[in-house]
Amino acid sequence: MSKAISFVRGFRIPKPEDIEDALGADASFSNEFKSTFGSLTSPTHESDWLANYKETGQTYADFLEDCPFLEDGHPLQKYIYLTLLDDDDRLSILDINRLIDYTQRFFQMEVKLIPLFTNINWNQSKRSWTCTTKGRNDMARETKLRTRYDAVSEHSQIYVESILTLLKRSVPTDARCLVAITMHDFYSDESDLFIAGLAQGNARVAAFSFFRYDPRLKFGSEFWYDWKVKTMKPSSISQIILLRSCRLLTHEIGHLLGIDHCIYYNCLMNGSGHLEEDFSQPLFLCPVDLRKLMKLSNSDCIQRYEQLLEFCTANQFELEIETLRKRLEILKKDQSKKKKNMSSTENEPPRKVKRMKKASV
C-alpha cells in the first residue's frame, strides 16, 4: 500500500469561510456556479507542489491592492506581447496563431506578436545557439546564448536567464508583459533536468519552452539529455501540445498580470512541481481568480465563456467543452433571474409615504 503524501508542513487547507472571504462578500457568482469547480486536490506524489511549498493564497482584496495594472480601481489599457525564439522548422508542431487566438479569448485582451529574434542558428564550433535581436532603438545585434550541450545525444538546452536579459531591453512601453515562447529546451541551474520557463514580474518579461510538452517525447528522470521519441498520429500530437501550451501560457501570463498561485479550488493557477501534475490541472480559473481577471480585463463573463467554448469546440477539447457548457447554462440562468427581478422592481407602483405630524414643542 502506497504511503499517503502530506501537505508541506505549515500549509493550511482553506475552510469554506476562508474561500468566501477570498472571493469577497460582494461577488456576483451564485452558489450553483461555484459548485461546478473542484476542491483543492491533495498531493499524490512527493514532488507535487503543495507537498513542498507553503502557499498562503491571494484573496481578491489582496489582488486589488497589489496589481500594477489597476489605477484607481480601473484597468490600464495595455497589451500582451509575444515573440518567438525559433525558426520555422521547430515551430511546425505548434500552431502559434491558434495559441494567440486562445490567449486573447482567455484574457479578453489584445495580444500582439512581434519579431524580436532572428537568425537563430546553431554554432557547432562553439557548441551554442546564437541569435540576432532588435532593441528599443531598432539596432540589431548578434548574441551568443549561454548553452549546455551533450555530444552523445546531441541535445542542447538554453540558459533561460540569457533570454530574459534580451527581453528586458525590448519591452514596449504599452506592454502589460512581453513573453518569449520556443520549442528549444531550457535550464536555469546546472542541477536542473529542465525548466519550463521563468518570469520576472517586476520587469514584465518571461520566457517559456514547450519542448517538454511534446507528447511524442519520453524523458528520463536522471539526466537532462535523456529522452526518446514515440510514434503518434500527427493530429493527436497537434491537439495535445496545443492544450498543454494553452495551459502553461495562460498560467504564466496570469502571474505576470499579478495573479498568484491558487489554494482555494482546483484551478489553472495551482502550482505544479512536475509535468504530470501540470498536465492534470484544469484549463480554467476558479471563481476567486476569475473575479480578478474580470476586474483586470473589464469584460463580460458570459461573452468570455462563449468565446472559450467556440475555441474548445473547434479544437475538440472534449472535457473543457462539457465544463464550459455547464457553467454557461448556469450563468445565463442567473442573469435571466437578475433581469427578471430588476424588471419586477421597476414595475412596482410607487409607495405612498406617510407624513409624520410635526411634534409640538
Side-chain angles (χ1 to χ4, degrees), residues 3 57 78 89 128-129 140 152 165 173 186 229 261 284 286 298:
K3 183 181 177 183
K78 293 198 172 187
D89 289 341
S128 68
W129 289 95
V152 176
T165 299
T173 55
F186 280 162
V229 182
H261 280 140
F284 306 125
C286 74
N298 193 28

Side-chain angles (χ1 to χ4, degrees), residues 161-271:
E161 280 89 342
S162 64
I163 306 301
L164 298 181
T165 299
L166 298 177
L167 291 176
K168 284 187 281 190
R169 299 173 185 163
S170 307
V171 183
T173 55
D174 60 352
R176 291 177 188 258
C177 57
L178 170 60
V179 180
I181 56 178
T182 185
M183 289 301 295
H184 287 278
D185 206 11
F186 280 162
Y187 78 105
S188 180
D189 296 318
E190 288 298 330
S191 59
D192 288 341
L193 283 176
F194 74 98
I195 186 170
L198 194 63
Q200 291 183 356
N202 292 337
R204 296 176 293 154
V205 298
F208 302 110
S209 165
F210 299 135
F211 176 77
R212 304 266 167 168
Y213 289 66
D214 186 338
R216 297 171 299 177
L217 304 184
K218 183 178 180 181
F219 299 98
S221 59
E222 189 174 357
F223 303 108
W224 63 266
Y225 47 80
D226 181 15
W227 52 278
K228 297 177 182 178
V229 182
K230 300 181 290 185
T231 302
M232 290 183 67
K233 291 181 180 178
S235 57
S236 298
I237 298 167
S238 176
Q239 183 189 45
I240 293 172
I241 198 169
L242 177 65
L243 176 62
R244 291 174 175 179
S245 300
C246 286
R247 183 186 291 113
L248 172 68
L249 189 59
T250 51
H251 174 104
E252 298 300 347
I253 290 178
H255 283 323
L256 288 169
L257 298 182
I259 303 174
D260 290 350
H261 280 140
C262 179
I263 61 168
Y264 303 109
Y265 289 89
N266 187 24
C267 173
L268 170 77
M269 297 308 296
N270 295 149

Side-chain angles (χ1 to χ4, degrees), residues 2 36 53 62 98 153 169 193 243 252 277 284 298 319:
S2 59
T36 67
Y53 295 94
D62 292 337
R98 285 196 288 174
S153 64
R169 299 173 185 163
L193 283 176
L243 176 62
E252 298 300 347
E277 186 177 26
F284 306 125
N298 193 28
L319 178 62

Side-chain angles (χ1 to χ4, degrees), residues 15-262:
K15 298 176 182 178
E17 54 267 33
D18 297 328
I19 298 173
E20 289 303 306
D21 287 344
L23 182 57
D26 58 340
S28 60
F29 300 133
S30 68
N31 288 332
E32 186 181 10
F33 178 73
K34 290 183 285 188
S35 71
T36 67
F37 295 83
S39 302
L40 181 72
T41 55
S42 300
T44 58
H45 189 278
E46 60 184 11
S47 297
D48 283 2
W49 187 262
L50 289 178
N52 293 278
Y53 295 94
K54 180 184 173 183
E55 295 278 7
T56 57
Q58 179 196 48
T59 68
Y60 177 68
D62 292 337
F63 171 78
L64 293 183
E65 185 176 343
D66 298 334
C67 181
F69 299 111
L70 294 172
E71 191 172 87
D72 298 327
H74 300 286
L76 298 172
Q77 181 60 44
K78 293 198 172 187
Y79 305 99
I80 296 170
Y81 282 91
L82 299 182
T83 192
L84 306 178
L85 178 67
D86 262 312
D87 52 35
D88 292 338
D89 289 341
R90 276 182 175 265
L91 277 177
S92 60
I93 190 176
L94 182 66
D95 190 328
I96 186 61
N97 291 323
R98 285 196 288 174
L99 190 56
I100 290 172
D101 182 27
Y102 181 78
T103 305
Q104 289 189 142
R105 293 169 189 257
F106 186 93
F107 289 106
Q108 296 290 290
M109 302 173 193
E110 187 173 350
V111 178
K112 297 184 177 183
L113 182 66
I114 54 175
L116 293 182
F117 299 98
T118 57
N119 302 323
I120 303 158
N121 297 308
W122 173 251
N123 186 314
Q124 184 61 31
S125 62
K126 295 182 179 180
R127 303 289 177 89
S128 68
W129 289 95
T130 63
C131 68
T132 301
T133 58
K134 189 182 290 186
R136 292 191 192 94
N137 58 7
D138 283 338
M139 289 187 62
R141 65 168 75 179
E142 184 176 271
T143 304
K144 175 186 173 184
L145 301 174
R146 181 173 162 184
T147 309
R148 66 179 180 182
Y149 175 74
D150 176 65
V152 176
S153 64
E154 296 186 334
H155 185 51
S156 62
Q157 287 184 324
I158 296 174
Y159 182 62
V160 67
E161 280 89 342
S162 64
I163 306 301
L164 298 181
T165 299
L166 298 177
L167 291 176
K168 284 187 281 190
R169 299 173 185 163
S170 307
V171 183
T173 55
D174 60 352
R176 291 177 188 258
C177 57
L178 170 60
V179 180
I181 56 178
T182 185
M183 289 301 295
H184 287 278
D185 206 11
F186 280 162
Y187 78 105
S188 180
D189 296 318
E190 288 298 330
S191 59
D192 288 341
L193 283 176
F194 74 98
I195 186 170
L198 194 63
Q200 291 183 356
N202 292 337
R204 296 176 293 154
V205 298
F208 302 110
S209 165
F210 299 135
F211 176 77
R212 304 266 167 168
Y213 289 66
D214 186 338
R216 297 171 299 177
L217 304 184
K218 183 178 180 181
F219 299 98
S221 59
E222 189 174 357
F223 303 108
W224 63 266
Y225 47 80
D226 181 15
W227 52 278
K228 297 177 182 178
V229 182
K230 300 181 290 185
T231 302
M232 290 183 67
K233 291 181 180 178
S235 57
S236 298
I237 298 167
S238 176
Q239 183 189 45
I240 293 172
I241 198 169
L242 177 65
L243 176 62
R244 291 174 175 179
S245 300
C246 286
R247 183 186 291 113
L248 172 68
L249 189 59
T250 51
H251 174 104
E252 298 300 347
I253 290 178
H255 283 323
L256 288 169
L257 298 182
I259 303 174
D260 290 350
H261 280 140
C262 179

